[in-house]
Amino acid sequence: MEEKNFSLHTALDDLRVIRQVLDRTAASFRALAPVFRRMGLVWLCQAVLYTLAVTTDLLIYLFPTLYNYLSWTRALIPAAQWSMLPLGIYLAVECILWQRKKTTYAPLSGQLVTLWQFFLLLYLVLFALFRAGMYWQTHDLPMVLPELSEEVVNLWTGFLICQGFLAFLPVLFPGVPLLITGAMLGEKVLGWLGAAVCALTTFTILGPMVTGFPTMASMPLPLFALDVVIVSVAAFFQPVALLFTARRLGRRQEGA
């Protein structure tokens, strides 16, 4: 009888310890939510600025009659082109602060921080490299080329390769972290969001080849309009992913 009571008390103590670990993990997840939300909101401001400048400029090019209504957005283009620099610095600082706080998180939360930290920093480094590559390939070329020499063709080929890799980066971040986070936490919604980001990014890059049209401009109007919309929406992939992840982490229940 005493042996049974001892086993029962031991089992209850084990359950109590497990409960404490789960509650600490859930509280740690909720502590991460404000960081994700803050980064998402700052990135959202950059995305809105970029979309106003770039998308409206494309609309003016396609529909010149809109110039009188949207010409003011062209003043935003220089700011939009350099907006990733202060954003990148801010995100790098957040990653450094994350690293300093990592020991205060539960083990699973620490793994989650490491996951997002790694892919975010990798995204920023590759973004900077491909942007620099695009500038280096074309900064000496005139907008109107007198002839297409082999050197010019090689430069434009390098430019297009950098542009293609740049367009593929949303798969790396936030696509992959969303997929892994969804699997780690059993959050199917995050997994589906990551899959949607990867699919839309792939369509943007491979759409012309898959549909049999060599360029976006050669597509039928419906496909072209769809591709333009996806390209415009792509600027919001990262902030939406961060904000949605913050929402899911903030709503995790005790012991979840």
Side-chain angles (χ1 to χ4, degrees):
M1 188 69 178
E2 292 180 0
E3 185 177 344
K4 289 183 177 180
N5 288 334
F6 177 77
S7 299
L8 179 60
H9 286 305
T10 302
L12 290 175
D13 289 338
D14 291 341
L15 289 174
R16 198 173 294 112
V17 170
I18 293 172
R19 176 70 186 190
Q20 290 173 353
V21 171
L22 290 174
D23 287 346
R24 180 170 176 256
T25 302
S28 186
F29 282 141
R30 289 193 296 275
L32 289 177
V35 183
F36 277 87
R37 187 177 299 110
R38 186 165 57 246
M39 290 193 297
L41 288 173
V42 173
W43 207 326
L44 184 64
C45 294
Q46 186 273 339
V48 170
L49 174 63
Y50 178 85
T51 303
L52 276 176
V54 176
T55 305
T56 53
D57 192 57
L58 178 60
L59 289 175
I60 292 173
Y61 172 76
L62 294 174
F63 308 102
T65 55
L66 296 177
Y67 178 82
N68 293 332
Y69 304 99
L70 300 177
S71 59
W72 61 272
T73 60
R74 291 198 163 189
L76 301 175
I77 292 178
Q81 290 175 338
W82 289 97
S83 60
M84 274 302 296
L85 180 60
L87 176 63
I89 294 173
Y90 163 74
L91 294 173
V93 170
E94 286 285 9
C95 287
I96 294 172
L97 295 177
W98 246 350
Q99 186 66 30
R100 296 178 63 181
K101 296 179 181 178
K102 192 182 294 185
T103 55
T104 64
Y105 297 133
L108 186 57
S109 298
Q111 295 174 14
L112 193 67
V113 167
T114 301
L115 169 71
W116 284 81
Q117 199 177 37
F118 171 77
F119 281 101
L120 176 56
L121 289 175
L122 183 60
Y123 171 90
L124 293 174
V125 170
L126 292 178
F127 183 93
L129 288 176
F130 293 139
R131 274 290 187 185
M134 290 171 63
Y135 175 79
W136 180 76
Q137 295 285 351
T138 60
H139 75 283
D140 286 333
L141 293 176
M143 293 299 294
V144 179
L145 302 175
E147 60 179 7
L148 289 178
S149 63
E150 183 178 352
E151 181 182 0
V152 169
V153 171
N154 290 337
L155 287 173
W156 276 112
T157 301
F159 172 84
L160 293 175
I161 290 173
C162 290
Q163 190 179 47
F165 278 112
L166 198 63
F168 191 75
L169 285 183
V171 171
L172 186 67
F173 186 88
V176 174
L178 284 172
L179 289 171
I180 299 176
T181 302
M184 286 176 59
L185 305 183
E187 291 278 358
K188 293 183 179 180
V189 177
L190 293 179
W192 281 111
L193 181 61
V197 168
C198 294
L200 290 174
T201 302
T202 303
F203 175 80
T204 303
I205 300 170
L206 303 180
M209 291 183 287
V210 172
T211 55
F213 300 97
T215 62
M216 285 177 57
S218 64
M219 289 181 175
L221 185 58
L223 280 177
F224 178 79
L226 177 62
D227 207 71
V228 169
V229 169
I230 293 175
V231 169
S232 302
V233 171
F236 294 89
F237 285 163
Q238 291 85 2
V240 168
L242 289 168
L243 290 171
F244 196 79
T245 302
R247 178 176 174 81
R248 300 301 296 182
L249 292 177
R251 297 179 66 180
R252 302 263 316 170
Q253 299 297 319
E254 294 288 340

